[in-house]
Amino acid sequence: MRIRTTDVPLRLNTPAALRRWSLRCHAAGMSVGLVPTMGALHAGHLSLVERALEECDRVVVSIFVNPTQFAPGEDLDRYPRTLEQDLALLATAGAHAAFLPAAGDMFPPEFATAVRVGDGLSDRLEGASRPGHFNGVALVVAKLLVAARPDRAYFGQKDAQQCALVRRLAADLDTGVEIVVCPTVRDSDGLALSSRNAYLTAEERVRARAIPAGLAAAAACFESGERDAAVLTATVRDVLEAAGAAIDYVAVVDPEHFKEVETPGPGCEILVAARMGNTRLIDVLQLG
Ligand code: PAF
């Protein structure tokens, strides 16, 4: 398939158009990579696009602020929307297509299907703090995988529980899609890039450094031999509290099932969700 530079990224507006594009790519013998996003793209998203371009012949980036993953009272209405800037970034990055559906194209009035991942993955930690959130994520990711029929789909490690959930969903539904989890991209002071960082005031942005600093302090404790999860989480809590963060949770989990572990080994993950002012941020560090 020939794509003219003026069409880059090709704009696909409906699930049917995305499906047709993907089928044409596959018919031409090309592999397809999908990078699901909610837009307000930053270097973290672009690292996913870059990895997808290395591994796939054609790359589509979806930009859709999915209403079903926001609970009432969350930031759906004020979530940053920067479509033209996003498309310019994708053109520069070399993405081949952008999937830009309207909410009504994804969820028309007669829409009646639910997707839910069990095994506690939807309910623990992030799921407990944001009831219903992961059902919305599972639903939209299932729809994206069905429409885009990618060979690989790319997600950022910062949303660690989302990654575990999507891996489970892709396996359980026999999608055959390889879920690729890419490392978190951080600012120079360690703060994980997030579209929600835009909400922080300058003063909160400085205090938010406590999140990666707390995780790094716990990782250092682990490296020096500490194996008690309670000590590791207390280390993070102390740093966050000193910075005036309102802690939602700090936990050490096994990365597959997201069950809390008391005596972590290498590969376990330490997670944080905390508010700086009105902005809720999450982060994760792998131990070992
Ligand atoms: O991580 C995100 O940006 C969203 O949860 C996702 C995977 C694009 C689904 O809306």
Side-chain angles (χ1 to χ4, degrees), residues 36-38 64 66 69 137 140-141 155 159 162:
T37 83
M38 297 206 297
F64 178 60
N66 168 31
Q69 69 187 75
V137 171
V140 80
V141 171
F155 295 84
D159 297 301
Q162 171 171 279

Side-chain angles (χ1 to χ4, degrees), residues 106-122:
M106 292 295 271
F107 303 116
E110 67 277 16
F111 192 89
T113 296
V115 179
R116 174 175 171 71
V117 178
D119 190 28
L121 270 172
S122 301

